[in-house]
Amino acid sequence: MTSKIWGGRFQSATDAVLEAINVSIDFDKRLGPQDIRGSLAHIAMLAEQGVVAPEDAARITEGLTRIAGEMERGEFQFSRTLEDIHMNAESRLAELIGPAAGRLHTARSRNDQVATDFRLYIRDDIDALDAQLADLQLALVERAMEEAGSVMPGFTHLQSAQPVTLGHHLLAYVEMIGRDRGRLRDARSRLNECPLGAAALAGTSFPIDRHMTAKALDFDRPTANSLDSVSDRDFVLETLSAAAICATHLSRFAEEIVLWSTPQFNFISLSDKFTTGSSIMPQKRNPDAAELVRGKSGRIIGALQALLIVMKGLPLAYSKDMQEDKEGAFDSLDSLSLCIAAMAGMVRDMKVNRERMKAAAGAGFATATDLADWLVRKLNLPFREAHHVTGRVVALAEGKGVGLEELTLADLQSVEPRISEDVFAVLGVEKSVESRVSYGGTAPDNVRKQAQSWLDRLKER
Ligand code: ARG
């Protein structure tokens, strides 16, 4: 017999390489609080059901409470020879209270234990991310309100398309983040079932009350199938998938911040708080935080892929491969949290160069669609024909090296004689955005209304 908790049938010690590949305490120690919480619920239930005597249960509860305190104060001594968080906690319990500690693991396995711990952990993390995302939305909405009338170029293919407002652009991200929060909420509600009591895979012969432990741990109900309970990691996959989509949104915005803060665009300036210098080029102000948000999306997306690949070939029920679910998940959710904080900081802090954005908004004949729409409205041309006429006007302006609103009436009439003086009212960028009053469009009044409705919703919660 070896000294391991599971060592009854083993004659000799494990190889150092096995220990090295098997050990998980370095990363799963952060499940300590969840592990103790699960054990407390389990022992209370065992006592209630008469499976463990009240005196033993009381000592176990006392010991676990002490361990929780030790972990909280950073005094707990984690040992790598004890493999993982579950055995570290149990072994410390034995040190504290003696052989009665051995009764805690009745009707339980590390398989249902780790599934429970990880669900509790992910649930807490989702709640924390949701609060952070709400704060980022608030930062965006407040800026959107200030910039509701600030005209900027809207792009398709990164070519000037039509003028929009910065407020409208920022609110686009508020919508995306709203859906990200919805996805996290969905994941949370689906994961909120308690696997504890599924034991190793088949359930147990002890008269346990799984509804009691589920309730004590704030789960909606116990999981229904013991095999599924210990095999399922789709609660992690779903959360990582929501994280990957969210990171993709943040990365796109980060890319825009990188672009907008170049001297060539010069739409925004990041403050010293969110820029770094170069060790060789004294003029540089580098948007490192935005670049890292863009960059970290790589590892967040990677964590999802890695776990999908780990899971896809596993027969039921538990296999040790599943221990590989944690590092990627921790890294993904930690990284996402940092990215959200960095984005909120940059949004609150950035200076908007309104004049420069407005000037850029007119470049590239961005009001050509407004001219075409005018031709449809005033001259009753079919849109396709109006498009053609406008194309010729654009070519004329391009040839003369001027913007559309700088052409003379005679220039315009040389293409279409029926064009009249009032066309100039639609050729300016401000008029253009003001005219986009359709529901969800970029008109400043729309943007203010949308921003207000988001403010109301964000303050409700
Ligand atoms: N450390 C393990 C994990 O994270 C706990 C479950 C181990 N179960 C087992 N039968 N070896 O997956």
Side-chain angles (χ1 to χ4, degrees):
M1 189 174 114
T2 76
S3 61
K4 297 278 188 203
I5 282 185
W6 39 255
R9 61 153 295 166
F10 287 80
Q11 260 105 56
S12 61
T14 44
D15 194 276
V17 174
L18 181 277
E19 305 244 337
I21 198 171
N22 200 24
V23 65
S24 60
I25 189 63
D26 298 332
F27 51 86
D28 68 16
K29 63 168 113 179
R30 62 158 110 181
L31 297 178
Q34 288 79 9
D35 197 68
I36 301 298
R37 201 180 158 200
S39 291
L40 284 168
H42 186 65
I43 194 62
M45 181 276 291
L46 291 180
E48 179 71 27
Q49 296 297 105
V51 177
V52 170
E55 319 78 75
D56 285 339
R59 295 176 65 198
I60 290 172
T61 301
E62 205 189 298
L64 288 170
T65 309
R66 263 186 73 178
I67 294 174
E70 291 175 356
M71 286 179 177
E72 214 176 290
R73 293 188 298 274
E75 290 163 12
F76 190 93
Q77 297 292 316
F78 293 100
S79 150
R80 300 187 92 236
T81 27
L82 291 167
E83 286 183 34
D84 59 21
I85 184 63
H86 322 295
M87 301 217 282
N88 268 269
E90 193 180 324
S91 151
R92 176 69 182 140
L93 186 64
E95 264 173 40
L96 289 174
I97 69 163
R103 300 197 183 275
L104 171 62
H105 213 55
T106 315
R108 179 177 87 167
S109 148
R110 276 188 292 160
N111 298 348
D112 58 337
Q113 197 179 349
V114 74
T116 305
D117 293 1
F118 208 19
R119 281 180 193 244
L120 289 171
Y121 180 92
I122 298 257
R123 195 175 71 182
D124 286 348
D125 237 25
I126 287 178
D127 291 343
L129 288 170
D130 183 68
Q132 274 195 286
L133 286 170
D135 177 63
L136 174 55
Q137 283 185 307
L138 188 63
L140 285 162
V141 172
E142 282 168 356
R143 287 315 294 257
M145 198 58 118
E146 291 166 25
E147 307 296 341
S150 308
V151 184
M152 69 175 282
F155 300 95
T156 61
H157 312 264
L158 198 56
Q159 302 285 326
S160 292
Q162 294 172 351
V164 294
T165 68
L166 177 59
H168 196 51
H169 194 108
L170 297 177
L171 287 183
Y173 284 103
V174 175
E175 296 288 335
M176 292 178 234
I177 294 165
R179 292 192 296 275
D180 292 331
R181 292 178 65 196
R183 271 181 282 273
L184 285 168
R185 259 199 308 276
D186 288 350
R188 189 195 196 284
S189 70
R190 247 186 302 280
L191 74 71
N192 208 28
E193 295 184 345
C194 186
L196 193 61
L201 75 166
T204 175
S205 56
F206 291 100
I208 61 172
D209 182 353
R210 293 192 56 210
H211 292 274
M212 180 179 167
T213 40
K215 191 155 175 245
L217 297 171
D218 294 321
F219 285 109
D220 295 331
R221 62 192 80 86
T223 50
N225 178 303
S226 63
L227 286 170
D228 178 46
S229 308
V230 294
S231 308
D232 161 39
R233 289 295 179 276
D234 53 57
F235 67 95
V236 190
L237 289 171
E238 191 174 357
T239 305
L240 293 185
S241 158
I245 296 171
C246 179
T248 303
H249 291 151
L250 300 186
S251 178
R252 293 179 76 173
F253 189 24
E255 162 63 9
E256 291 182 327
I257 289 179
V258 170
L259 212 56
W260 294 351
S261 63
T262 57
Q264 288 72 17
F265 268 82
N266 194 23
F267 288 180
I268 59 164
S269 318
L270 293 172
S271 75
D272 291 356
K273 284 200 261 174
F274 282 95
T275 41
T276 61
S278 155
S279 55
I280 172 170
M281 297 163 285
Q283 85 285 8
K284 289 290 284 274
R285 292 174 61 81
N286 295 329
D288 290 37
E291 292 166 83
L292 284 161
V293 169
R294 191 177 57 188
K296 281 183 193 294
S297 64
R299 59 205 280 179
I300 297 171
I301 294 163
L304 169 63
Q305 297 215 357
L307 186 58
L308 283 167
I309 295 165
V310 166
M311 296 306 296
K312 77 174 183 64
L314 295 186
L316 304 190
Y318 179 86
S319 294
K320 199 61 176 265
D321 313 45
M322 288 160 76
Q323 180 167 283
E324 290 294 314
D325 60 356
K326 288 174 208 67
E327 281 166 291
F330 291 150
D331 184 69
S332 162
L333 302 179
D334 290 352
S335 301
L336 183 61
S337 165
L338 211 47
C339 290
I340 300 167
M343 292 309 283
M346 283 186 283
V347 168
R348 291 205 161 95
D349 203 49
M350 71 189 183
K351 196 176 134 290
V352 173
N353 306 334
R354 290 184 188 157
E355 285 313 306
R356 171 65 205 135
M357 273 193 171
K358 191 179 157 189
F365 314 105
T367 56
T369 315
D370 298 271
L371 173 55
D373 288 350
W374 185 92
L375 293 168
V376 170
R377 256 195 324 270
K378 291 290 166 117
L379 306 184
N380 198 26
L381 296 188
F383 183 76
R384 281 293 161 229
E385 198 182 323
H387 187 286
H388 203 78
V389 171
T390 305
R392 284 166 52 211
V393 172
V394 167
L396 181 70
E398 196 169 37
K400 293 192 149 199
V402 297
L404 289 179
E405 71 285 14
E406 290 158 330
L407 289 169
T408 63
L409 186 58
D411 289 334
L412 293 166
Q413 287 175 341
S414 73
V415 177
E416 167 52 67
R418 287 175 292 166
I419 293 180
S420 53
E421 186 71 37
D422 59 326
V423 75
F424 288 103
V426 303
L427 296 182
V429 291
E430 244 140 21
K431 282 279 174 305
S432 171
V433 295
E434 276 164 25
S435 73
R436 298 290 196 275
V437 292
S438 55
Y439 184 79
T442 200
D445 281 347
N446 272 3
V447 172
R448 271 180 217 107
K449 268 187 222 132
Q450 286 173 11
Q452 190 56 53
S453 112
W454 270 112
L455 276 180
D456 296 344
R457 268 183 279 173
L458 287 167
K459 287 189 174 142
E460 244 167 53
R461 313 187 8 114

